[in-house]
């Protein structure tokens, strides 16, 4: 079978822009993995890795115009959004450069010998070492921050792991340009360019996960696609960790007091959050608990007006557009569901692929679960009207793992602390009085959560993201002079 061409398409029109290359066959994937794996010794130098990450930041900044132009054409996310996302990438590279340089992530522990311990304890020295060459799957909705130059790549390189990226088919040209920037940065600091290699194609992703030299996988995408790869990783003769971010509903609880005190403000914030980027954020609030009664009614009316006025826009590709419209229609047809604003195709002269945001409402007592409790990728959210907090609990009890959960309450409400604790049971990040869209790159950040939010209780954003690409090794009674300097200090 002839390899398929890799095509760059215009997200606004659906038209082909250019052929970037051809999809990688098994031989090409093998070559990319082996080339990357051969750089492991070169990446062992921590100062050199820090220099690489800083050079990568400078490289993407220097090529910002070309990167943003390609990404805007391929994703329709807009120049302002993409400019901010690329700035995040540069910050993230420098952030992980500092982590690599500092070395605290190594977690060095030295236990002196203790003959009196039961059993007697020999001298033990432990630290963390790179897990090996890793595969990173680029995300559709973040052509920079969760793709070739994204957090998985930055944290893996900081850990000392070479990276093979599987480009996303929605932005192949952007992927090639970003990969070239990082590879050139590697050469600039005296490292092999192959510390990062790039492959295209659906089957290439499967071959990548199965490759015996791949030691871990980072993935951001859909539940079906991620679960298929997760199962492949587990079924290998030597199973490997699969760090997948798969799906999240990101529930929001609005109390009656907040609806009465700040209903208009809260409604405006909600609509701005769930329509941001045409609802294509993994942290989009997809289910919102709103009280019954006058205050809740007014909040819903304000949200309905704002949603109806939201500017239509293109989704990332025609397939996602079709899935969004079909998903909205299926949810709107469920028993007890009321359509407040109908999502629909909204073609314009410049954007024939545009869609209009939707808004649905259902009573907590008649919420039948199923699709309403599953993520719908695109600009829609479901308002769930509850009578009392028992109704809230009944809904929350049916939720799976989530990246985020949000509480809009007044600080002096007697049950606020209890609800914060309750939301933390199934979410990796709990927000009070704000909105989940927007994930800061910071040491305390958690961008993960119980399955299906992620496949492991780890984060893909923030300093501890580096831990995914490391494994602990303990050295017992090894003379210090035979060890790395970080481990050789006297016990």
């Amino acid at each position: 079978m002839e390899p398929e061409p890799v095509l760059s398409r215009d997200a606004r029109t659906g038209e082909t822009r250019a052929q970037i290359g051809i999809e990688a066959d098994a031989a090409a994937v093998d070559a990319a993995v082996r080339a990357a794996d051969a750089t492991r010794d070169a990446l062992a130098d921590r100062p050199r890795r820090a220099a690489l990450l800083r050079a990568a930041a400078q490289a993407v900044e220097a090529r910002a115009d070309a990167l943003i132009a390609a990404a805007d054409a391929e994703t329709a996310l807009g120049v302002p959004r993409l400019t901010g996302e690329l700035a995040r990438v540069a910050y993230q590279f420098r952030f992980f450069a500092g982590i690599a340089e500092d070395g605290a992530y190594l977690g060095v522990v030295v236990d002196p010998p203790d003959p009196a311990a039961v059993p007697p304890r020999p001298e033990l020295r432990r630290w963390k070492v790179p897990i090996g060459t890793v595969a990173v799957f680029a995300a559709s909705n973040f052509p920079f921050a969760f793709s070739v130059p994204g957090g998985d790549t930055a944290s893996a390189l900081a850990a000392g792991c070479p990276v093979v990226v599987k480009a996303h088919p929605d932005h192949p040209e952007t992927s090639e340009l970003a990969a070239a920037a990082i590879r050139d940065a590697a050469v600039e600091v005296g490292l092999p360019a192959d510390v990062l290699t790039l492959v295209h194609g659906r089957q290439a992703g499967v071959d990548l996960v199965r490759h015996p030299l791949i030691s871990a996988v980072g993935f951001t995408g859909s539940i079906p696609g991620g679960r298929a790869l997760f199962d492949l990783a587990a079924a290998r003769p030597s199973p490997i960790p699969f760090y997948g971010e798969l799906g999240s509903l990101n529930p929001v609880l609005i109390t009656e007091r907040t609806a009465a005190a700040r209903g208009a403000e809260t409604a405006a914030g909600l609509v701005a959050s769930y329509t941001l980027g045409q609802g294509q954020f993994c942290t989009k609030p997809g289910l919102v608990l709103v009280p019954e009664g006058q205050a809740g009614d007014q909040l819903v009316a304000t949200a309905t007006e704002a949603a109806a006025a939201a500017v239509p826009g293109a989704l990332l590709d025609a397939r996602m557009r079709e899935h969004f419209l079909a998903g909205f229609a299926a949810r709107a047809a469920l028993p007890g569901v009321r359509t407040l604003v109908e999502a629909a195709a909204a073609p314009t002269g410049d954007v024939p692929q545009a869609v209009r945001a939707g808004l649905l409402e259902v009573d907590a007592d008649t919420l039948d679960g199923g699709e309403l409790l599953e993520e719908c990728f695109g600009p829609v959210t479901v308002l769930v009207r509850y009578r009392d907090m028992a109704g809230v609990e009944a809904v929350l009890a049916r939720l799976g793992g989530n990246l985020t959960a949000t509480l809009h309450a007044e600080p002096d409400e007697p049950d606020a602390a209890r609800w914060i604790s309750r939301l933390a049971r199934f979410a990796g990040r709990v927000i009070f009085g704000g909105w989940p869209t927007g994930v800061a790159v910071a040491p305390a950040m958690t961008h993960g959560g119980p399955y299906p939010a992620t496949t492991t209780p780890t984060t893909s954003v923030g300093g501890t993201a580096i831990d995914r690409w490391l494994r602990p090794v303990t050295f017992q009674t090894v003379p210090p002079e035979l060890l790395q300097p970080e481990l050789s200090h006297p016990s």
Side-chain angles (χ1 to χ4, degrees):
M1 181 182 295
E2 289 294 319
E4 294 291 327
V6 176
L7 302 177
S8 173
R9 298 188 184 278
D10 190 304
R12 294 178 174 88
T13 66
E15 296 176 354
T16 300
R17 298 178 63 246
Q19 179 174 335
I20 304 304
I22 59 173
E23 294 185 353
D25 59 13
V29 171
D30 180 65
V33 174
R34 292 186 183 280
D37 193 69
T39 71
R40 289 175 64 177
D41 288 345
L43 275 175
D45 186 321
R46 278 198 297 122
R48 189 70 58 86
R49 297 203 303 266
L52 162 63
L53 293 164
R54 292 194 173 97
Q58 293 176 341
V60 297
E61 288 172 335
R63 306 179 195 197
D65 289 347
L67 284 164
I68 290 168
D72 183 47
E74 292 184 316
T75 68
L77 289 173
V79 171
R81 148 75 192 272
L82 291 167
T83 299
E85 189 179 329
L86 196 62
R88 174 196 178 96
V89 161
Y91 175 84
Q92 200 158 237
F93 276 131
R94 293 186 175 104
F95 177 79
F96 279 105
I99 289 173
E101 212 163 43
D102 175 74
Y105 75 92
L106 294 168
V108 175
V109 178
V110 177
D111 288 326
D114 185 357
V118 181
R121 185 180 70 210
E123 180 186 76
L124 303 171
R125 298 170 186 259
R126 189 189 72 190
W127 73 339
K128 298 174 185 176
V129 301
I131 198 169
T133 301
V134 306
V136 169
F137 282 71
S140 62
N141 54 339
F142 284 90
F144 299 137
F146 286 84
S147 292
V148 175
D152 284 354
T153 295
S155 57
L157 290 173
C161 296
V163 175
V164 184
V165 181
K166 207 293 280 185
H168 196 279
D170 278 347
H171 35 80
E173 181 184 357
T174 306
S175 298
E176 287 285 347
L177 293 172
I182 297 170
R183 288 169 60 84
D184 287 350
V187 173
E188 179 185 324
V189 301
L191 286 169
D194 287 337
V195 296
L196 182 138
T197 58
L198 182 72
V199 296
H200 297 268
R202 182 184 181 90
Q203 183 60 39
V206 173
D207 294 340
L208 197 53
V209 174
R210 287 174 170 163
H211 199 286
L213 292 181
I214 292 295
S215 298
V217 180
F219 173 89
T220 300
S222 69
I223 292 177
R227 185 54 197 252
L229 295 175
F230 179 38
D231 292 345
L232 280 178
R236 288 170 34 131
S238 297
I240 57 174
F242 183 88
Y243 298 107
E245 180 192 316
L246 308 186
S248 186
L249 196 58
N250 305 302
V252 177
L253 169 57
I254 301 171
T255 67
E256 186 172 5
R257 280 185 57 186
T258 288
R262 295 180 287 107
E265 172 191 339
T266 305
L270 167 64
V271 174
S273 183
Y274 91 79
T275 61
L276 182 66
Q278 293 304 314
Q280 297 174 114
F281 280 63
C282 50
T283 52
K284 179 202 75 176
L287 183 140
V288 185
L289 289 147
V290 180
E292 295 180 358
Q294 182 178 359
D297 290 346
Q298 184 57 54
L299 187 153
V300 170
T302 303
T304 301
E305 183 179 350
V311 178
L315 298 186
L316 293 162
D317 61 33
R319 179 182 57 86
M320 291 183 188
R321 179 173 179 261
E322 292 168 3
H323 284 182
F324 166 67
L325 294 174
F328 179 88
R331 288 162 174 78
L334 292 172
V337 175
R338 300 178 288 276
T339 298
L340 303 179
V341 179
E342 184 175 5
T348 66
D350 295 333
V351 191
Q353 300 286 328
V355 298
R356 184 172 64 239
L359 183 63
L360 298 172
E361 183 183 46
V362 66
D363 294 333
D365 293 344
T366 59
L367 178 65
D368 68 350
E371 289 173 298
L372 292 178
L373 297 182
E374 297 173 359
E375 179 184 14
C376 183
F377 194 72
V380 62
T381 197
V382 179
L383 306 180
V384 180
R385 305 299 299 276
Y386 67 88
R387 184 177 301 110
D388 51 33
M389 286 307 183
V392 171
E393 178 56 45
V395 174
L396 296 184
R398 302 170 70 179
L399 300 182
N402 279 270
L403 293 170
T404 75
T406 300
L407 176 65
H408 281 270
E410 302 310 291
D412 60 348
E413 289 196 48
D415 289 334
R418 181 171 68 86
W419 286 112
I420 288 289
S421 296
R422 178 66 181 87
L423 298 177
R425 292 184 194 175
F426 59 79
R429 177 164 58 107
V430 178
I431 300 102
F432 182 88
W435 298 102
T437 39
V439 185
V441 179
M445 178 52 68
T446 298
H447 189 61
Y451 185 88
T454 49
T455 56
T456 65
T458 57
T459 180
S460 62
V461 178
T464 55
I466 197 173
D467 291 338
R468 296 169 301 158
W469 319 118
L470 301 165
R471 64 179 182 88
V473 176
T474 295
F475 299 91
Q476 181 173 323
T477 63
V478 176
E481 61 269 20
L482 301 181
L483 298 172
Q484 295 292 328
E486 294 90 343
L487 285 167
S488 63
H489 61 274
S491 58

